Amino acid sequence: MLQQDSNDDTEDVSLFDAEEETTNRQKKPKIRHPVASFFHLFFRVSALVVYLLCELLSSSFIACMVTIILLLSCDFWAVKNVTGRLMVGLRWWNHIDEDGKSHWVFESRKASSQENKNISEAEARIFWLGLIACPVLWVIFAFSALFSFRVKWLAVVIMGVVLQGANLYGYIRCKVGSRKNLTSMATSYLGKQFLKQVKHWR
């Protein structure tokens, strides 16, 4: 079923139009897509390693910069188009309609989808760990480059933040739904915290 958010022209749809299942599926513990799991981490970890060791490995800033940007680009494509769909059953993209209007689409497989049954808990952990940890490291590197006045590296780390942060944002939207859901979750959390404080003061 297609639902459109009128605020930001986003669409939340389900992959392959599978019917909802009332019973909870049991997650498989083993890794069913080892190649996808490997490349989910390979490109992003390689980019981090090259950034940390580039001054030891090569004296050419241009060569290091190009290598890191290529690794980040390969990672962006692989995570956005392959590993997210295989490892956690999520997918997002942007398309332009006939009127030239941009639409962001965030997809999530229904629980009854046959391919969704192949998703393992181990793969899901690998996916989310890599997806969250690496952008956080790039943000740390960005502050480090800024405060240590390594201006030439600032563009590289910002590229890392943008590319990996875009995938993180896209998959969070796939997981939790539209911006309204994100807002309601944040409001609910803050409300609960406020009530706890009021009870504590009493």
Side-chain angles (χ1 to χ4, degrees):
M1 186 175 181
L2 185 67
Q3 296 180 341
Q4 185 167 344
D5 186 347
S6 59
N7 291 333
D8 58 356
D9 295 323
T10 61
E11 299 171 0
D12 296 311
V13 298
S14 59
L15 286 177
F16 315 127
D17 296 325
E19 295 180 359
E20 278 193 275
E21 190 176 55
T22 55
T23 58
N24 293 329
R25 63 180 174 81
Q26 184 177 3
K27 294 181 180 178
K28 305 296 182 182
K30 68 178 183 178
I31 295 177
R32 292 182 170 268
H33 304 95
V35 175
S37 300
F38 171 78
F39 282 105
H40 177 71
L41 297 176
F42 174 76
F43 290 121
R44 54 184 49 216
V45 172
S46 296
L48 291 169
V49 170
V50 171
Y51 174 77
L52 292 171
L53 301 179
C54 61
E55 292 182 347
L56 299 175
L57 299 174
S58 174
S59 59
S60 173
F61 168 75
I62 299 298
C64 293
M65 181 184 70
V66 170
T67 302
I68 293 170
I69 290 175
L70 284 174
L71 288 169
L72 289 171
S73 300
C74 291
D75 170 74
F76 179 81
W77 182 89
V79 173
K80 178 179 177 295
N81 296 300
V82 181
T83 65
R85 180 175 57 85
L86 292 177
M87 296 174 71
V88 291
L90 302 174
R91 185 168 62 182
W92 67 275
W93 78 91
N94 176 268
H95 73 90
I96 309 296
D97 62 17
E98 295 177 354
D99 299 326
K101 199 172 185 180
S102 177
H103 297 272
W104 290 95
V105 181
F106 303 92
E107 291 185 331
S108 174
R109 278 199 201 105
K110 295 287 187 180
S112 60
S113 173
Q114 182 61 37
E115 286 192 33
N116 211 32
K117 294 177 182 178
N118 293 332
I119 296 173
S120 73
E121 190 173 332
E123 282 185 346
R125 285 199 193 106
I126 292 171
F127 180 85
W128 289 107
L129 179 63
L131 195 72
I132 294 169
C134 292
V136 170
L137 290 174
W138 282 112
V139 170
I140 293 171
F141 293 157
F143 282 108
S144 176
L146 183 64
F147 292 132
S148 61
F149 301 104
R150 301 174 66 201
V151 180
K152 66 179 182 179
W153 288 105
L154 200 54
V156 177
V157 294
I158 288 174
M159 183 72 70
V161 172
V162 170
L163 289 177
Q164 296 195 350
N167 263 329
L168 176 60
Y169 174 77
Y171 282 114
I172 289 175
R173 287 293 304 275
C174 291
K175 187 71 175 175
V176 303
S178 67
R179 184 175 298 171
K180 289 181 181 179
N181 292 338
L182 287 171
T183 305
S184 64
M185 286 173 62
T187 305
S188 175
Y189 174 77
L190 291 174
K192 288 177 181 178
Q193 294 300 316
F194 177 75
L195 289 175
K196 285 180 181 179
Q197 290 296 326
V198 170
K199 290 179 180 178
H200 178 70
W201 289 335
R202 288 180 181 177

